[in-house]
Amino acid sequence: MKAAFIGLGVMGYPMAGHLKNAGIDVCVYNRTAEKAQRWVEQYKGSMAQSPAAAASGCDVVLSCVGNDDDVRQVLLGDAGALSTMRSGALLIDHTTASATLAREINSAAAAGGVGFLDAPVSGGQAGAENGALTVMVGGEGSDYEAVKPVFESYSKFSKLLGPAGSGQLAKMVNQVCIAGIVQGLAEGLNFAQKAGLDGAALIETISKGAAGSWQMDNRFETMLADQYEFGFAVDWMRKDLGIAIAEAKNNGADLPVAELVDSFYAEIQEMGGARWDTSSLLARLTRK
Amino acid sequence: MKAAFIGLGVMGYPMAGHLKNAGIDVCVYNRTAEKAQRWVEQYKGSMAQSPAAAASGCDVVLSCVGNDDDVRQVLLGDAGALSTMRSGALLIDHTTASATLAREINSAAAAGGVGFLDAPVSGGQAGAENGALTVMVGGEGSDYEAVKPVFESYSKFSKLLGPAGSGQLAKMVNQVCIAGIVQGLAEGLNFAQKAGLDGAALIETISKGAAGSWQMDNRFETMLADQYEFGFAVDWMRKDLGIAIAEAKNNGADLPVAELVDSFYAEIQEMGGARWDTSSLLARLTRK
C-alpha cells in the first residue's frame, strides 16, 4: 500500500510515523519542509514538495492540519491532494474541521471517484505518540472497512458514526462535553481552595462517584499545582468550540454552557494563556 | 454498641438497616411513625417517639434528614438528640447541609462533651441500599477513627477531610462538579440528536476519552430514552447547589456555571420535573 500524509504537526508527525512503522510506503508533505526532512530521516520514508505531488499514485491520502482553511488548501487547492488522486483511492482527513467542509470535500472527491472519510481524532499528543488515538469517522461503510487497518496503526479505537460529516459532528459533541466538565471541575477546585480543603484527599474521595470524570482523574494534580504549560491548547479548544457553536446555529441545538466556557477561554487568551491546557479554566478563577 | 438513627428516608432507612445487620443495637426515630414501625418490623430493632428519646444512653447517634431546618430541629431542638446525649458519645450527621450549621452543631456538641462529625454521603439510593456509599467527613481525627467501623457497615469509602464543616464543603464541590458535567452532557446529547448522530455509537466512541464521566457512563441511555423518573431529584440538587452558592458568597469562590445550571433546574421545577433525576437538564432542551 502506498500512502501520503499531509501535515506533520504534534499529531500528524507521530501518526505518519506509526503508519510507516506498520510497513506502509509513506510519502509526507509539510508546509515547513525542515520538519518533513526530519521525519524522512527518522522514519526512512519519502517527502514531496506539494500535497498534489505527495498524493500522486497513492492508494490512501491522509491529512491532519490546522483548520478549515488549511484543509481546503491542502486537499482542494490548485496543488491540493485531490488534483492528482486516482479513481478508487481513499482520502481521509484527520483534522478537526467543520461538518460543512467535510460534506464539500466528500462531493469533490466523489466527482473524481475518490472515497472520503472525515476522521477527527481524540487522545491528544500522547495518544498520537503512543498509537492510542480514538478515531471518529464519517463516510461510507465500504471505505471505512477498507481503511480500518490503517487506523489501527495509530489508534486503539475507531468507529463509523454515519455519513460524511458525522465524524466531525461527534468530535463537536466530545468538545462540548469537555467544556462543561472542565468548567465544573475548575469551579469545584476553586471552591475547595477557598474553603481550605485538602485537594488531593478531596479528589480521592469524590473521583470514584457521580462527580468523577477523565478530566478529574487526569488534570486535578496539575490544576491544583497551577501548571498549564502542556496538553491541549486553549487556542485549539476555541477553534473546536467555534465550529460546534456555528454548527449549532444551523441545527438548532442550544449550547449555553459551551458558549459561556468559550468566552472564558477568550479571557484566558487575553491573559496570555493561548497555549495553556484547557484545564486553565481554573487559572482564570485563581489568577485574576 | 448502642446507636440511634434519626430519619428513615430513602437513604436513612437502608443505612439504619445495614447498621442493625452489622450487630449494632439500633433505635430509630422518624417524623412519620409508620415508617419507623415498618423498619422495626423489618430489622428487629427498636423505635422511639422523639430524637431525644432515641438518643438517650447511646454511644453513637446518626441523623440523615432533609435540610438545615430539619437538622436543627432533630439535633438542637427541645426534643433534639443533643438534649439527652451523654458526655463521650458521638453525634454524626449524614444530611447534606451547610458548613455553617455543621460548625454550630459542633460547638453545641462540644459544650456537652459530645463529639461531632459532619458526614454527608454520595452514592444515592442504590449506594445506600447496597452499602456502597462514600462518606465525606469533617471533624476530629480521634472521633473519625472511633466511628469508622460504623461507616463501613453502609459505605465502601470514607475519608476525614478536615475540621467540622469539611465534609459539607467536600459535598458542595462534588455537586458543583456534577452540575457542569451533566449540563455539558445534556448540551452534547442535544447537539447529537439535532445532528442526527446515533447516540449509542457516539457514546461508545467518546466515553473512554477526555469527555468521559460517571454521568456519561451511567445516564446517557436514560437521557437518550427521555426517561427521568428515577435517581437524584432536581429538588434535592437545587437544595445542594443553593448551599454551595451561599457558601461561595462567604468564601469568595466564583460559580458561574453552577449558578446557571441551578437556574436551569428552577426551569425544570416549573416544567413539573421537581422529582426528575438531575440528568433531566436534557429534557429542558428537548421538551421546550
Side-chain angles (χ1 to χ4, degrees), chain B residues 93-250:
Chain B
D93 184 26
H94 285 306
T95 313
T96 295
S98 70
T100 307
L101 177 60
R103 293 183 200 108
E104 183 186 334
I105 298 169
N106 186 59
S107 296
V114 172
F116 175 70
L117 299 171
D118 55 299
V121 298
S122 66
Q125 186 173 348
E129 289 168 355
N130 301 329
L133 294 170
T134 294
V135 191
M136 296 159 246
V137 189
E140 295 295 323
S142 55
D143 291 341
Y144 171 67
E145 291 303 327
V147 87
K148 207 174 161 187
V150 170
F151 290 157
E152 282 164 6
S153 70
Y154 45 77
S155 69
K156 60 173 192 211
F157 188 83
S158 70
K159 183 114 187 162
L160 182 68
L161 294 158
S166 299
Q168 298 298 352
L169 293 166
K171 180 68 184 281
M172 293 175 214
V173 174
N174 192 75
Q175 305 302 68
V176 165
C177 289
I178 289 174
I181 292 168
V182 178
Q183 178 62 23
L185 181 58
E187 292 182 19
L189 291 179
N190 179 237
F191 182 100
Q193 289 174 321
K194 298 274 190 182
L197 291 172
D198 173 338
L202 167 72
I203 298 299
E204 182 191 359
T205 307
I206 70 175
S207 63
K208 300 288 172 273
S213 65
W214 185 99
Q215 296 289 338
M216 183 180 278
D217 289 341
N218 291 277
R219 290 292 181 268
F220 88 91
E221 280 186 328
T222 43
M223 290 171 82
L224 290 175
D226 198 34
Q227 290 172 357
Y228 304 108
E229 308 279 350
F230 72 100
F232 188 70
V234 166
D235 274 353
W236 296 113
M237 187 60 167
R238 285 213 75 200
K239 185 201 78 169
D240 293 1
L241 289 176
I243 291 170
I245 291 165
E247 181 69 27
K249 295 217 190 311
N250 290 332

Side-chain angles (χ1 to χ4, degrees), chain A residues 6 50-58 61 71-87 89 91 105 108-114:
Chain A
I6 298 165
S50 72
S56 180
C58 283
V61 175
V71 173
R72 209 177 284 278
Q73 189 180 352
V74 300
L75 300 188
L76 304 179
D78 287 342
L82 262 183
S83 67
T84 56
M85 287 181 73
R86 59 168 179 72
S87 177
L91 175 60
I105 298 169
V114 171

Side-chain angles (χ1 to χ4, degrees), chain A residues 134 159 174 178 180-181 183 187 190 194 204-206 209-215 251 254-258 285 288, chain B residues 134 159 174 178 180-181 183 187 190 194 204-206 209-215 251 254-258 285 288:
Chain A
T134 294
K159 183 114 184 162
N174 191 75
I178 289 173
I181 292 168
Q183 178 62 22
E187 291 181 21
N190 178 238
K194 298 274 190 181
E204 182 190 359
T205 308
I206 69 175
S213 65
W214 185 98
Q215 297 289 337
N251 70 26
D254 260 342
L255 300 177
V257 164
L285 296 169
K288 73 179 180 186
Chain B
T134 294
K159 183 114 187 162
N174 192 75
I178 289 174
I181 292 168
Q183 178 62 23
E187 292 182 19
N190 179 237
K194 298 274 190 182
E204 182 191 359
T205 307
I206 70 175
S213 65
W214 185 99
Q215 296 289 338
N251 69 26
D254 260 342
L255 300 177
V257 163
L285 296 169
K288 74 178 179 187

